[in-house]
Amino acid sequence: MDSSFQRDLVALVPRLRRFAYTLCGSADAGDDLVQAACERALRNAAAFQPGTRMDSWMFRIIQNLWLDDRRKRKVRGAQIDPETLAMSDDGLGARQAEDRITLERVRASVEKLPDELRLVVALVAIEGHSYREAAESLDIPIGTVMSRLSRARAMLLPLVKAPDQRSRSWTQ
């Protein structure tokens, strides 16, 4: 195996973790997803085409693993780990209470999005990919990325607004 492949994969891990966290809604589940994706990538390193974008390849692996897991959960139901029920973030998230509330509202709202919209939001709004890069990662046309992002934004706006802001109009 090429050492540059391993080095490039390690360099991608922070971005992969952020993407996986966005999809899973939990750091632990996101880390498990990244680990599974890295294992798959290392097993299939020969399938990677040098000169192509490793990040797109890895985002695709994460996407496929995440969608597979979602399908399994629909059949089996969600599993609850009793040890994590009473855990808090111990201040690892936003320091201000209002920021934590807003962050949680956004995270919960993103989780409510349909899978295809959540993937686009994760790549464009969180990972900072261009529409073209997101389209390549998801293997869909750019117009579809733009349409899905627009629909996601329209769905998120009323969910993310604070309860006291939901009744206000943009002109007030």
Side-chain angles (χ1 to χ4, degrees), residues 23 29 56 74 107 171:
L23 297 178
S56 293
K74 283 183 183 177
R107 188 198 58 71
T171 57

Side-chain angles (χ1 to χ4, degrees), residues 18-26 29 33 63 66-67 69-70 73-74 106-127 134 138 145 148-149 151-153 155-156:
R18 188 172 49 235
F19 180 63
Y21 173 76
T22 302
L23 297 178
C24 296
S26 136
L33 183 58
Q63 172 193 344
W66 178 70
L67 288 172
D69 185 61
R70 302 259 307 166
R73 286 176 189 257
K74 283 183 183 177
V106 170
R107 188 198 58 71
S109 298
V110 169
E111 280 188 15
K112 291 177 184 176
L113 292 174
D115 295 347
E116 67 274 4
L117 301 184
R118 191 187 314 186
L119 287 165
V120 171
V121 167
L123 287 173
V124 174
I126 296 171
E127 283 302 312
L138 298 173
V145 169
R148 288 180 182 176
L149 191 57
R151 286 193 339 228
R153 287 175 176 155
M155 290 174 73
L156 286 172

Side-chain angles (χ1 to χ4, degrees), residues 76-96:
R76 295 183 185 150
Q79 296 180 353
I80 299 172
D81 180 3
E83 291 183 21
T84 61
L85 287 177
M87 293 179 68
S88 72
D89 72 352
D90 293 326
L92 296 177
R95 297 289 180 218
Q96 302 295 325

Side-chain angles (χ1 to χ4, degrees), residues 13-73:
V13 168
R15 292 178 55 205
L16 299 176
R17 290 183 74 213
R18 188 172 49 235
F19 180 63
Y21 173 76
T22 302
L23 297 178
C24 296
S26 136
D28 290 338
D31 285 344
D32 290 345
L33 183 58
V34 169
Q35 181 176 351
C38 289
E39 288 173 5
R40 183 171 288 182
L42 291 169
R43 266 195 322 270
N44 298 307
F48 178 71
Q49 301 292 322
T52 61
R53 292 185 54 145
M54 181 179 273
D55 61 344
S56 293
W57 188 62
M58 288 302 300
F59 285 132
R60 174 57 67 114
I61 291 172
I62 288 176
Q63 172 193 344
N64 290 339
L65 289 169
W66 178 70
L67 288 172
D68 289 346
D69 185 61
R70 302 259 307 166
R71 288 183 200 110
K72 287 178 194 173
R73 286 176 189 257

